[in-house]
Amino acid sequence: MSKNTRVPGYMQSKAARNTRGIIGDREIRFKCSLQNTILDVLRGRPGWQEVPGPNIQQQNSQQNNKPAAGYQPVPPIQRNSDGDWDFYWCDREWLHQNYDTMFLHEHQKILHFRNHYELTRKNLMVKNLKRLKKQTEREQGKSEGLSFDFHPTTYELPSEYHIFVEEFKRNPGITWIMKPAAKSQGKGIFLFRRLKDITDWKKGEYQPLTDTTREVPETYVVQRYIENPYLIGGRKFDIRIYVLVVSYNPLKVWLYRDGFARFSNTRFSLDSIEDAYVHLTNVSVQKNAPDYDPEKGCKWSTMRLRQYLTAKHGSEAVKKVFKGIDNIITKGLQSVQKIIINDKHCFEMYGYDILLDSDLKPWLIEINASPSLTASGKEDYELKFGLLNDLLNVLDLENRLTGKEKRIGGWDLLWDDGPVLADDGNMECTTNGTSVTTANSFLGCHNDRKRQLREIYTSAQAIKKT
């Protein structure tokens, strides 16, 4: 390795890194590549100052499109070693282009781990879950492998086309769903019951490519469609859950209490599998429905959903549902724990999408690395504003907390190199008189986040003075 070669921050020894450490009393400088709720939160945060000027990606684009006469491009490592910011909410494309040549100072925090896609690409997510399941069965027995039974039967196309066909023929008449492996917002998704509907992915007809003008079929996953979703008012829904990972080694996970259920705009039926408004709950799809109401937005808060399920099925059944969701969250993260490039400068906020079937069994549909932060209405804006403000509170760039907290605003510490238990009498979720004081998970529970924040900051200040 030459003397001029820069090593990514996560590979450097402590001595080799900038030792600036805690930011202290000065203003915190931030950059943001998005123009939505997160920018509002950052601009409104006391003591935080936006770094002016275009981001690095924009500078590169301008330089590449309009080079001046005699222009000598600045080496990427010099462009990317910019230390003018403390916090950067960047997009995934910027990170992929710059991370490997970027030096991060001790005090800097940046959104996304380098290879976050190991969990958020649909094909890789299933591959990693299957691998961890096999490992668990080898080490702990077949019965423990049952804890991974939360994602539908899935195959990657075109590479597993022939294996899929065998499964398809063993289960005639059922419905399957096709999804692009690397797209979001419902793009490219369709349902089918006949093999002739997916002939473009038939293995053997695209490799080798004898026609150089012919495009290779896009990678898709095909999943057994859940034909018996839990319905409310005759409509299908899924649950968006927010999960914050601040470290993969050791694994440290926070779960946000508030989320929402996204409903389809049309009553559920298997008679019209081509109707996206029936089967896809994505807001980006539903907002185009002819009778979509932007004020209602086809959403329920997670608290409202929990109250509804408790009134209909009882607290024990609902407790089992949410315990199953906790299991999905932790198993998903554990499946990539040894693969993700851990860097103490990085953090990730995932959007888990969970579907309940008619037996109240939770199913993992997908995990998003960039869950939408654009609000669909006033309530949605308030939820996301609080979510993001509390995320910054958890990261604590201001160094106002002790680091021992189990709850910060709406975020509950779910896993800290092992399961986290709730504090007796201090962090209860009470529904119809039943208190839950076991796992530190309170999804859909009442949350007076402002009061809680005042209490922990007062307590932390008192502890630091002693």
Side-chain angles (χ1 to χ4, degrees):
M1 186 180 292
S2 68
K3 291 183 178 179
N4 294 327
T5 302
R6 298 297 287 272
V7 179
Y10 71 92
M11 292 177 61
Q12 295 185 13
S13 65
K14 249 184 184 179
R17 295 176 181 162
N18 181 292
T19 56
R20 181 173 179 173
I22 296 169
I23 292 171
D25 296 329
R26 69 169 174 80
E27 67 183 17
I28 296 172
R29 300 165 302 213
F30 72 86
K31 297 181 72 173
C32 184
S33 61
L34 302 182
Q35 299 285 326
N36 53 32
T37 314
I38 180 58
L39 188 58
D40 293 346
V41 169
L42 290 168
R43 286 177 173 172
R45 196 164 175 90
W48 287 53
Q49 180 66 44
E50 187 171 4
V51 176
N55 63 37
I56 295 169
Q57 190 177 17
Q58 292 170 330
Q59 291 173 352
N60 293 347
S61 175
Q62 292 166 359
Q63 291 167 350
N64 291 336
N65 292 335
K66 297 180 181 180
Y71 169 72
Q72 294 295 322
V74 180
I77 190 62
Q78 292 184 33
R79 286 200 304 267
N80 293 344
S81 62
D82 172 21
D84 287 344
W85 52 271
D86 305 301
F87 179 89
Y88 192 2
W89 193 283
C90 68
D91 56 46
R92 292 169 297 173
E93 291 72 21
W94 184 91
L95 190 83
H96 294 163
Q97 290 179 21
N98 295 282
Y99 182 88
D100 288 336
T101 57
M102 180 169 54
F103 174 80
L104 290 172
H105 295 278
E106 186 77 9
H107 63 283
Q108 292 180 305
K109 282 283 185 182
I110 190 167
L111 178 65
H112 300 309
F113 289 89
R114 172 65 181 85
N115 56 338
H116 60 82
Y117 49 78
E118 288 285 351
L119 186 61
T120 56
R121 280 182 64 104
K122 299 176 184 68
N123 56 334
L124 296 180
M125 178 191 79
V126 172
K127 173 186 173 184
N128 289 318
L129 282 168
K130 286 180 178 178
R131 185 184 61 251
L132 182 59
K133 178 181 180 180
K134 288 180 180 178
Q135 179 186 335
T136 301
E137 289 176 340
R138 278 196 314 269
E139 298 174 355
Q140 304 177 39
K142 290 281 186 181
S143 60
E144 289 299 320
L146 296 176
S147 63
F148 289 84
D149 184 25
F150 53 73
H151 60 89
T153 302
T154 305
Y155 299 94
E156 181 181 319
L157 299 187
S159 63
E160 296 180 331
Y161 181 82
H162 287 322
I163 305 175
F164 163 67
V165 169
E166 292 176 6
E167 179 72 18
F168 182 91
K169 291 179 178 178
R170 282 196 294 267
N171 298 276
I174 70 169
T175 308
W176 295 84
I177 185 168
M178 288 279 283
K179 304 176 182 179
K183 290 183 179 177
S184 58
Q185 299 181 328
K187 295 173 183 174
I189 297 179
F190 63 92
L191 279 63
F192 70 96
R193 294 193 182 112
R194 302 174 300 180
L195 280 176
K196 67 178 184 179
D197 292 334
I198 60 166
T199 54
D200 286 347
W201 287 269
K202 189 172 182 180
K203 189 176 181 182
E205 293 190 358
Y206 72 97
Q207 286 181 330
L209 284 175
T210 53
D211 181 1
T212 55
T213 63
R214 182 180 173 191
E215 292 185 2
V216 176
E218 182 180 359
T219 299
Y220 266 62
V221 294
V222 57
Q223 291 181 329
R224 184 164 179 166
Y225 186 63
I226 298 173
E227 297 181 322
N228 65 325
Y230 189 97
L231 305 178
I232 296 180
R235 290 170 170 79
K236 178 182 174 181
F237 67 93
D238 69 358
I239 312 168
R240 166 57 57 85
I241 296 168
Y242 297 102
V243 175
L244 171 64
V245 178
V246 295
S247 170
Y248 269 99
N249 185 24
L251 184 61
K252 190 169 185 177
V253 184
W254 296 78
L255 173 63
Y256 200 66
R257 291 191 176 199
D258 294 334
F260 50 85
R262 304 177 298 185
F263 287 82
S264 62
N265 203 58
T266 309
R267 294 177 69 86
F268 180 79
S269 171
L270 286 172
D271 296 334
S272 54
I273 64 171
E274 72 285 346
D275 190 343
Y277 300 135
V278 172
H279 300 284
L280 304 184
T281 59
N282 309 67
V283 174
S284 54
V285 173
Q286 292 296 327
K287 68 181 181 181
N288 296 315
D291 54 346
Y292 176 76
D293 185 347
E295 290 300 316
K296 294 181 179 178
C298 294
K299 288 183 179 180
W300 272 15
S301 69
T302 314
M303 185 170 72
R304 183 180 178 186
L305 175 64
R306 185 163 189 152
Q307 291 172 340
Y308 175 90
L309 293 175
T310 301
K312 193 162 186 179
H313 302 283
S315 59
E316 285 305 310
V318 173
K319 180 180 175 182
K320 184 178 178 181
V321 169
F322 285 86
K323 184 178 179 181
I325 292 175
D326 291 348
N327 176 64
I328 290 174
I329 292 169
T330 54
K331 288 290 194 299
L333 297 170
Q334 287 171 339
S335 74
V336 297
Q337 185 178 1
K338 295 181 179 179
I339 302 172
I340 295 291
I341 301 171
N342 190 62
D343 186 338
K344 70 176 185 179
H345 301 94
C346 302
F347 66 95
E348 197 81 53
M349 186 180 76
Y350 296 104
Y352 274 66
D353 292 339
I354 306 291
L355 177 75
L356 301 184
D357 67 17
S358 56
D359 298 319
L360 287 180
K361 176 179 178 177
W363 294 87
L364 174 61
I365 303 304
E366 65 181 36
I367 303 173
N368 300 273
S370 297
S372 173
L373 299 179
T374 300
S376 58
K378 181 181 177 182
E379 288 186 8
D380 196 39
Y381 182 84
E382 290 175 352
L383 183 154
K384 289 174 179 174
F385 195 95
L387 163 83
L388 295 166
N389 233 329
D390 287 347
L391 181 151
L392 299 179
N393 292 332
V394 171
L395 297 179
D396 193 28
L397 270 69
E398 300 95 336
N399 191 34
R400 293 191 293 166
L401 298 173
T402 65
K404 303 292 185 181
E405 291 79 8
K406 284 186 177 181
R407 179 184 169 201
I408 301 175
W411 290 101
D412 294 309
L413 184 59
L414 179 66
W415 192 274
D416 189 7
D417 203 21
V420 178
L421 299 181
D423 297 327
D424 292 341
N426 185 35
M427 299 171 61
E428 294 187 353
C429 175
T430 303
T431 309
N432 291 351
T434 302
S435 296
V436 180
T437 56
T438 52
N440 195 40
S441 170
F442 301 90
L443 185 63
C445 296
H446 173 71
N447 179 28
D448 189 345
R449 52 176 294 273
K450 291 183 178 179
R451 176 182 174 184
Q452 197 277 334
L453 286 171
R454 286 196 298 269
E455 290 175 353
I456 64 163
Y457 280 125
T458 301
S459 175
Q461 188 176 17
I463 291 172
K464 287 191 172 189
K465 285 181 179 179
T466 59

